[in-house]
Every structure is written in C-alpha cells, then in structure tokens.
C-alpha cells in the first residue's frame, strides 16, 4: 500500500510539472539553502593602534550567531584584545549587503576602506558615537528597504 501512495505522489508531481509547462507557470522553487532559524549578526569594533594613537580605526564584521565567539576570538588574536571594544552589534538579514553599504558610504566620505577595516582621514571629526549613529542609520535604511520590498510583493499578490 505504501508503494502505491509513493507512485501516486510521483504521478501527481509529473502531472503538475506537465501542467505548469503547458500553462507557462513558473516551476516550484527549490528549497532555499539558508536556514531561517540561524540569525546573522553585523558588528563594529573600535580599534586603537598603539603605535599611532591619533589614528581612528574601526573593524566591521558579520557572522552567524553560532560563530560570533569564534569570529571575535580570531579578530582579537589578530589585533589584540586590549586594543579594541565593540560599539555595535545587531541581527541583520544579510551581513554582506550591510557591509557593502557601510563600506560604500564611508568610501564616499573619502575614508580608507580596506577589507573590513575603516579608517577615518586625519583630523576627522568622527568618533565612536558618530560612527555608531551612522551605521545605525544605514542599518535602518536597509531594514526599511526590506520592509518596502515585502509590502510591495504582498500588495502585488493580493491584486492578482
């Protein structure tokens, strides 16, 4: 009996695929690779260069919630734990997208952006509070963009 149910399900799937091709309906999407239960975080660390204390440096990172400790340990190992502290950490939809918008914003301000490191130009008026506020504003813009996208898709769905 169980074998017959399996055959019926595969036959139904073949018929559904055939009907989709006849009526030019998009095929069913494959399951997504991302796990909605694993949260991704974006963070910023304030970094002090002991050799040149007047330099203003920040390190940006993103990682899954399960990898935060490992990522921070690697960063602290590279730059020294005493030389940095965290000024920003928030859950995000896409860490690479927010990283790209942050780097683009600061590059337009003529900052030095190399890899994950942000460096303010000499005699800049930026401090940790202003950097944190700017990144919070960029995060809010990203959230608003996602919200608008979902709402447009939702309205389109109900108009169909």
């Amino acid at each position: 009996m169980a074998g017959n149910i399996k055959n019926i399900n595969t036959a139904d799937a073949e018929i559904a695929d055939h009907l989709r091709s006849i009526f030019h309906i998009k095929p069913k999407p494959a399951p997504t690779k991302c796990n909605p239960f694993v949260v991704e975080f974006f963070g910023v660390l304030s970094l002090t260069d002991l050799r040149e204390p007047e330099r203003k440096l920040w390190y940006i990172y993103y990682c899954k919630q399960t990898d935060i400790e490992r990522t921070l340990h690697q960063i602290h190992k590279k730059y020294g734990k005493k030389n940095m502290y965290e000024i920003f950490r928030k859950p995000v939809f896409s860490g690479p997208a927010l990283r790209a918008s942050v780097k683009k914003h600061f590059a337009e301000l003529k900052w030095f952006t190399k890899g994950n490191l942000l460096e303010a130009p000499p005699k800049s008026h930026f401090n940790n509070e202003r950097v944190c506020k700017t990144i919070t504003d960029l995060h809010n813009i990203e959230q608003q963009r996602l919200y608008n996208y979902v709402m447009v898709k939702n309205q389109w769905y109900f108009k169909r």
Side-chain angles (χ1 to χ4, degrees), residues 71-88:
T71 303
L72 288 177
H73 179 70
Q74 289 174 346
I75 296 168
H76 288 153
K77 190 176 180 182
K78 183 174 182 179
Y79 292 103
K81 191 171 186 172
K82 294 178 183 177
N83 303 338
M84 62 177 38
Y85 60 94
E86 192 159 31
I87 61 170
F88 182 87

Side-chain angles (χ1 to χ4, degrees), residues 56 58 87 111 124-133:
K56 298 175 184 176
W58 291 272
I87 61 170
W111 280 37
S124 172
H125 58 278
F126 270 86
N127 57 14
N128 288 338
E129 291 80 26
R130 288 202 63 187
V131 169
C132 187
K133 183 183 177 335

Side-chain angles (χ1 to χ4, degrees), residues 17-28:
D17 290 341
H18 183 65
L19 290 175
R20 285 181 181 279
S21 66
I22 289 174
F23 294 111
H24 303 287
I25 300 172
K26 291 181 182 177
K28 288 183 179 179

Side-chain angles (χ1 to χ4, degrees), residues 1-49:
M1 181 86 178
N4 291 339
I5 292 174
K6 186 176 181 182
N7 290 339
I8 291 171
N9 289 340
T10 54
D12 287 343
E14 289 176 14
I15 291 171
D17 290 341
H18 183 65
L19 290 175
R20 285 181 181 279
S21 66
I22 289 174
F23 294 111
H24 303 287
I25 300 172
K26 291 181 182 177
K28 288 183 179 179
T32 60
K33 294 179 181 178
C34 64
N35 185 352
F37 301 108
V38 177
V39 180
E40 191 166 347
F41 279 84
F42 179 85
V44 179
L45 299 166
S46 177
L47 178 63
T48 304
D49 188 359

